[in-house]
Amino acid sequence: MRKKKWAVLLVSAVMVLTLGTGYSKPQGSLVRVPTASGSASYSNGKVTVDASNTQNGYVMVKYSGGVNKIKVQISKDGLTYTYDLNARNAFEVFPMSEGNGTYSVKVFENVSGNQYSQAFSQDVSVSLANQFEPFLYPNQYINFSEGSTAVQKGAELAASAADAIGVVNSIYNYVVNNITYDTNKAATVQSGYLPSVDQTLASGTGICFDYAALMVSMLRSQDIPAKLVIGYTGSAYHAWVNVYIDGIGWIDNYIYFDGTNWSLADPTFASTGGQSDSIKQYIGNGANYQQKYCY
């Protein structure tokens, strides 16, 4: 990627947008910390749902019962996100990533095998402070903190960048050039796997989920809204990245910048393909990707 001539981005044949000046790069990093303040809390003794900060795009769930396998479902407008709840007597953070409106939060206990029984249900009304809130905080899938090595590395990479595009460019190039795709892990990964961004950084290896989670963690800690997107490329289940640039908007189908055009933010394919022209053409074609969920 070239680092010059960022002033104007050609978005289409008929529209030219000038990069916004609203982005203010944090000193070091900016990590938002989810909290369960209890101002809007619902409980039945076994399950507690803290919805105190839904304006920031997340809900926190805690299970205190005795069942080993617990699932959380968060639904809105017919779309259901299903998670494993791994902590006990401690809150986990789940994003409200489908915008404003009413979400249904349900918790299920395992009965036997793959059978689950509903243990809790609560409707939660969400009115976001702004559209970016869900994509700036850490959550179960994009789990980072101020002390994370990934956050510190993100700050190091962003230090010399002049603007948001420079930050994205530095982080993207680092992930693409320094993380190797782990084919054995991809073949053996189990359902319910969660990325560890610090482990990915330390090992220098990962699957698409790891690539995307690492890049998104770094971007969010630099106050740049970013989505970890899960869906399909062809028939393969896959994870990639969307990012927001002030003055342009959500770059949903483009992130590789060659001086004129962007291509899709798919750090896994760009890395495994060595950023070849054929890979750039593939990831630059939004028709090759079908989004299912975003976190």
Side-chain angles (χ1 to χ4, degrees):
M1 297 185 191
R2 288 191 269 177
K3 297 183 180 179
K4 58 183 179 179
K5 298 182 181 178
W6 300 113
V8 176
L9 168 66
L10 179 61
V11 177
S12 70
V14 296
M15 183 182 297
V16 175
L17 294 177
T18 303
L19 293 178
T21 58
Y23 175 69
S24 179
K25 189 173 66 173
Q27 293 292 323
S29 59
L30 174 59
V31 175
R32 293 163 172 81
V33 181
T35 57
S37 58
S39 60
S41 183
Y42 310 93
S43 179
N44 66 358
K46 289 192 296 185
V47 177
T48 301
V49 172
D50 191 294
S52 304
N53 297 289
T54 55
Q55 73 275 10
N56 299 125
Y58 66 87
V59 67
M60 301 181 74
V61 182
K62 177 172 66 175
Y63 178 76
S64 303
V67 177
N68 288 330
K69 294 182 180 179
I70 304 298
K71 290 191 180 292
V72 175
Q73 285 189 345
I74 298 178
S75 304
K76 179 178 180 289
D77 298 334
L79 183 62
T80 299
Y81 289 71
T82 301
Y83 305 89
D84 290 331
L85 184 61
N86 299 309
R88 293 296 177 268
N89 299 305
F91 283 104
E92 288 195 69
V93 184
F94 302 97
M96 319 295 271
S97 53
E98 295 298 322
N100 295 333
T102 300
Y103 289 73
S104 172
V105 181
K106 296 182 178 181
V107 177
F108 297 86
E109 296 173 314
N110 182 252
V111 177
S112 64
N114 293 323
Q115 296 184 336
Y116 285 78
S117 174
Q118 182 173 298
F120 186 84
S121 178
Q122 178 66 46
D123 286 346
V124 175
S125 180
V126 174
S127 181
L128 296 172
N130 61 64
Q131 64 167 310
F132 312 116
E133 292 293 315
F135 310 111
L136 287 167
Y137 278 83
N139 59 52
Q140 191 198 58
Y141 277 22
I142 304 107
N143 194 359
F144 61 96
S145 65
E146 186 64 50
S148 296
T149 307
V151 169
Q152 296 165 14
K153 187 64 179 181
E156 176 189 326
L157 295 169
S160 61
D163 53 24
I165 288 181
V167 174
V168 174
N169 178 58
S170 295
I171 290 173
Y172 179 79
N173 274 331
Y174 180 86
V175 173
V176 166
N177 293 323
N178 290 275
I179 308 299
T180 302
Y181 191 73
D182 190 332
T183 54
N184 181 64
K185 184 177 182 178
T188 58
V189 68
Q190 300 294 308
S191 175
Y193 171 77
L194 294 174
S196 167
V197 294
D198 285 354
Q199 184 175 338
T200 300
L201 193 62
S203 67
T205 64
I207 58 175
C208 59
F209 203 176
D210 299 312
Y211 277 79
L214 176 59
M215 185 174 174
V216 169
S217 296
M218 288 180 171
L219 290 171
R220 290 185 184 182
S221 68
Q222 288 301 306
D223 204 29
I224 296 177
K227 300 176 183 179
L228 187 158
V229 184
I230 291 180
Y232 290 90
T233 173
S235 60
Y237 209 44
H238 192 49
W240 61 94
V241 178
N242 291 345
V243 65
Y244 182 88
I245 300 294
D246 183 69
I248 297 173
W250 282 106
I251 311 300
D252 291 328
N253 294 327
Y254 308 91
I255 193 114
Y256 177 84
F257 188 71
D258 63 6
T260 304
N261 300 305
W262 292 84
S263 296
L264 195 67
D266 188 339
T268 312
F269 280 5
S271 175
T272 57
Q275 302 199 64
S276 67
D277 288 341
S278 61
I279 287 294
K280 292 174 189 175
Q281 290 173 9
Y282 183 88
I283 64 179
N285 183 355
N288 290 323
Y289 294 79
Q290 292 80 46
Q291 175 177 321
K292 190 169 179 62
Y293 303 108
C294 65
Y295 302 88

